[in-house]
Amino acid sequence: MRTPAGLCEISLTVNGKKKTVRTHAMERLLDVLRHHLGLTGAKEGCGEGECGSCSVLMNGQVVTSCLVPALQAQDATITTIEGLEADSQLHPLQRTFLECGGAQCGICTPGLIMAAVHLLNSHSRPTLEEIKEALAGNLCRCTGYTQICEAVAQAARDDHGK
Amino acid sequence: MSSGHLRPPLPGDRVSRRKTEPIVGMPVPRKEGRDKVTGRAQYIDDITLPGMLYGATVRSTVARGKIKKVTFAPNFPWQEFVIVSARDIPGANCVALIADDQPCLADGAVNHPEEPILLLAHANPHVLPKAIAAIAIEYQRLPAIFTMEESELGEEIIWGRDNTFKTYTIEKGDVDSLWAKADFVVKGEYTTGAQEQLYIENNGMIASFDRQCGITVWGSMQCPYYVHKALMKLFHLAEDKVRVVQTETGGAFGGKEEYPSMIACHAALLAMKSGKPVKIVYDRSEDMAATTKRHPSRTRHRTAVTREGKILGGEIEFVVDGGAYTTLSPVVLSRGTIHAAGPYFWPNIRIRARAVATNTPPHGAFRGFGAPQSLFAMERHMDRIAGTIGVSPVEIRRRNFLKPGQTTATEQTIHESIDLDKLLDRALALSKYDVRKRRFQQENQNSTRKKGIGLATFLHGAGFTGSGERSLSSLVGVEGRIDGKVRVLVSSTEFGQGTKTVLCQIAAEVLGLPYDSVEIAEADTEQVPNSGPTVASRTVMIVGKLVQSAALGIRQTLLASNDLRDSYSPAEFKAACAQYIAEHGDLKSFSRYEPPPNIFWDDEKYRGEAYAAYAWAIYIAEVTVDLTTYAASVDDFVALQEVGKVLHPVLARGQIVGGVAQGIGFALYEKVSWRDGRMQNAQMTNYIMPTSADLPLIRVYFEELGNQHGAFGAKGIGELPIDGPAPAVVNAVADALGMQFDSIPLLAEGIFEAVTSRSKKEEDARVLGVVR
């Protein structure tokens, strides 16, 4: 919807809450989340969809939010890293990232965890190759990925052990 | 800074501790881990201050020249902008570090592309690129040089008298008389390219200025006191008028050792002129193009060897490209020089090293700090020697390993009980080296996917080189608080390695307290003493040892004041802290670095005890080279190292795996393309680092021999793992194809060129043979 100042009103559901923001149509979803909604968990590493640090779930798909114009997020359901904890209990992936050493400097961690959430939503028992493939859009410079892959595998195992 | 009056611990002091579960050596939770996995951790770009402006940098578009004229486009709302030039600098126009030759803002002349000239600030960050584009700078161009060879030629002098920042010579024994005695003289030349640190968090700072209080800067950095020193000099301010606070830092790897001082100075200049807080956060392209990278290098070896494979001695010439200003090049060169001889015994050796100037942005600190470059050359050269005299890569190393009691190139006697033969045996077994090597040789004959296996054996010295730690004279504090909690006071920073966690483990272990009772103060120069920069694999070993000693001071103070008995519970410790603080005001213990006795180092001759301890490693890589795509990939990687003591198994392993991944990137993926001194591929789209799909799970193994100079026997491990992967991987590629490769990065294009030109040579030889 156009407003007098050339701004749009965008309505979307973020982490289960309905939100409406007034913004430029081509504002990046990443900026909507970070600047309008104060959700700074998604990070900007490159601004061109290469590093995956800004990954969030949009209608159940993992997207690099730096490449999504606000207009495209109209009526979308977004989940960010801030939406994973339930009753201050860590999501299983947040816990295994901690235990296995999947987070070092932490800047890529929110994006990687969101990509891993997406993977486990669609493959509950991924193979190592499937894990590597699913995370290949998220760059991490600290870990060399070994412990991240282990964290994802561990979360999948824990889920099945329940 | 206030302090309880504490005596330092004495050797005879009785220290007993309550029987508790060990904390050192256990995988305790990372202190800031929960904030990181929940997205709550606040990095500099996550922070906004009221009334804050956004800053940007106008940079040189030429490599070298005089600035003739700066034109601001008419009809542009310049009155809305804060504009800063070199004329606005109140103190010395330099980024204070070693030589102070790098200007904070170019004043009349530029010496490399991307050199900062003007600063702009505005409340709306989106208008800044337009403003930069509306400024035209006219230059009188001067001839520029871009390679080490041009710099050495000296036809154009761009720095000092001879384009040379620093030289070192190490001389042991008598090299000149060797050549006649040698059965073989093996020569080789090896080069390594620039490498971008590529921390995923770009550089950024926020500064505020107040006439009374002075400057406060928050930001992403490794070394708060380096930034502090630079700001004092630039603004001509007293120590207490400058405050530097590290925010959560999203990776650094050396890349946030020196350049953050530049950005802090820029943000602070804009803050002073505007009277408002100013944030400067680089985007990825600016960060990649303008900030430091690993020094490109060239190493020449000439080695005298016997028929049996014993090294008689040799000459090594090591040259690094420092870029346009001194920055840290002398120190990078120093570490590279000392590590150039590898973990081998050289009865005679001469190492000549120099750092030269070119008109590129200054190269700087990157994990390994010169050692990955010179060790790449050493380890490739060992394989070349092996091939020349006809022994295996394994055997040539065995015959020349340093042994306890022998001396290094700097004539440091090895006192540690390291047994590299045994370490090598274990690594060979873990990688099934012999079996695989034989199998690959057979299978390669009928396959276009050639497999190879290669090794690298190496060492890495922990802490500052030679007299460096003595000059740093680091100070560390531990504070007992009224609530029974303990705070570690250091300027050592967390940027992923686990500094906060491990230093708290050490204090908790010494005090016999639960890990949760110990926390670490924010790295804020107003709150913490200068424990030195967080670099050089020195944090756990050197700062950790000081934390150990300062924590012991707390314990002994409470024992001496009769507030505490020998054995105590956390509740009794809390009561004792409260009692002591009620009587004395506060409870703090400080510990300052004292060099170990009988340490000799000659800065002139570069001779003596270069490092208090070395970590030792054997890395073995298995690769496949696909002769359809000519790409090489790593299939298996064994990283075995002796590290003194593993203080935290998960974090230590994380350091090794991460370093290996960066080392594989250095070898096979990461190429900086230069044109006229400017990085052409300053994007993640075209500067390629390994992804999860490119790497195998890295297999990590430790051995622990202890180390009297490190906390609980630890040695530094941060840098070690990046020294070995490049030579191990390239040795494996060479093994797969039966050819020599002496330059990295070794991309598919490089392999294609080598293989096809060999095929052409073979074809030519065949044709010539037929004709004859």
Side-chain angles (χ1 to χ4, degrees), chain B residues 172-175 178 181 311-315 346-350:
Chain B
K172 175 188 180 186
D174 174 13
V175 172
L178 290 178
K181 296 183 219 161
I311 292 175
L312 297 171
E315 278 186 317
W346 297 75
N348 308 279
I349 190 166
R350 180 185 296 133

Side-chain angles (χ1 to χ4, degrees), chain B residues 36 236 272 280 299 318 378 408 437 540 552 601 603 617 678 698:
Chain B
K36 285 176 172 172
H236 197 63
M272 182 182 71
I280 297 180
T299 310
F318 177 56
M378 181 73 258
T408 65
K437 184 143 181 141
V540 166
L552 201 55
W601 177 255
D603 262 327
R678 169 178 281 113
I698 310 297

Side-chain angles (χ1 to χ4, degrees), chain B residues 132 189 199 209 231 240 242 252 295 367 413 426 478 500 536 540 615 627 653 707:
Chain B
I132 292 175
E189 181 177 312
Y199 32 73
F209 182 83
L231 287 165
D240 62 346
V242 176
H295 288 71
R367 194 178 204 166
T413 305
R426 187 175 169 206
V478 172
K500 288 182 176 178
V540 166
L627 288 184
R653 185 163 160 251
N707 163 32

Side-chain angles (χ1 to χ4, degrees), chain B residues 49 206-210 214-218 267-268 271-272 275-278:
Chain B
L49 298 183
I206 298 175
S208 76
F209 182 83
D210 176 292
I215 294 167
T216 305
V217 169
W218 298 263
M272 182 182 71
K276 292 180 177 163
V278 175

Side-chain angles (χ1 to χ4, degrees), chain A residues 27 34 40-41 43-46 48 50-51 53 81-82 85 88-90 94 97-101 103-110 113 128 131-133 135-136 139-147 149-150, chain B residues 30 32-34 36-43 45-46 195-198 200-202 249-251 253 284 366 495-496 650 653-655 657-658 661-662 670 683-685 689-693 695-698:
Chain A
E27 176 110 26
R34 288 176 58 85
T40 55
K43 309 296 182 190
E44 175 166 352
C46 68
E48 54 183 13
E50 286 288 338
C51 76
S53 300
I81 189 76
E82 289 92 344
E85 268 179 295
S88 27
Q89 289 292 304
L90 293 181
Q94 291 175 313
F97 263 66
L98 266 183
E99 287 169 4
C100 299
Q104 287 192 27
C105 83
I107 194 83
C108 72
T109 308
I113 290 179
L128 174 62
I131 295 173
K132 286 174 153 194
E133 190 62 36
L135 303 183
L139 297 178
C140 169
R141 193 56 154 171
C142 293
T143 64
Y145 309 104
T146 295
Q147 286 157 303
C149 293
E150 288 169 358
Chain B
R30 183 183 264 284
E32 77 297 352
R34 200 175 169 104
K36 285 176 172 172
V37 299
T38 55
R40 276 197 288 270
Q42 294 276 291
Y43 300 81
D45 200 25
D46 302 332
Q195 186 187 17
E196 166 60 32
Q197 294 89 354
L198 216 71
I200 306 296
E201 181 207 26
N202 289 313
T249 295
F253 318 111
R284 179 59 61 185
F366 188 165
F495 40 88
V650 174
R653 185 163 160 251
Q655 282 299 291
V657 178
Q662 288 175 358
E670 299 178 35
Q683 286 173 274
M684 283 177 165
T685 306
M689 63 162 272
T691 70
S692 53
L695 298 173
L697 296 186
I698 310 297

Side-chain angles (χ1 to χ4, degrees), chain B residues 64-200:
Chain B
R64 186 168 174 237
K66 293 203 165 76
I67 298 172
K68 302 301 286 178
K69 196 176 168 197
V70 179
T71 311
F72 291 83
N75 307 321
F76 197 84
W78 291 112
Q79 70 284 355
E80 292 176 14
F81 288 80
V82 183
I83 302 170
V84 161
S85 72
R87 283 194 303 276
D88 294 298
I89 294 171
N93 182 7
C94 69
V95 183
L97 192 60
I98 293 175
D100 294 355
D101 58 333
Q102 184 179 26
C104 175
L105 289 171
D107 191 3
V110 293
N111 288 301
H112 64 82
E114 313 298 340
E115 184 158 3
I117 299 172
L118 296 171
L119 303 168
L120 305 175
H122 194 280
N124 177 3
H126 298 301
V127 303
L128 289 165
K130 287 175 207 147
I132 292 175
I135 297 172
I137 300 178
E138 280 174 46
Y139 304 90
Q140 179 199 332
R141 287 181 188 243
L142 294 170
I145 55 177
F146 303 115
T147 64
M148 288 181 270
E149 289 69 27
E150 286 175 293
S151 186
E152 290 168 313
L153 205 58
E155 283 177 359
E156 194 62 42
I157 299 298
I158 62 155
W159 194 92
R161 274 182 308 178
D162 58 0
N163 293 339
T164 305
F165 294 123
K166 188 74 185 177
T167 61
Y168 298 108
T169 304
I170 292 175
E171 186 103 42
K172 175 188 180 186
D174 174 13
V175 172
D176 295 324
S177 67
L178 290 178
W179 312 113
K181 296 183 219 161
D183 293 321
F184 295 93
V185 173
V186 184
K187 291 187 195 173
E189 181 177 312
Y190 310 90
T191 61
T192 64
Q195 186 187 17
E196 166 60 32
Q197 294 89 354
L198 216 71
Y199 32 73
I200 306 296

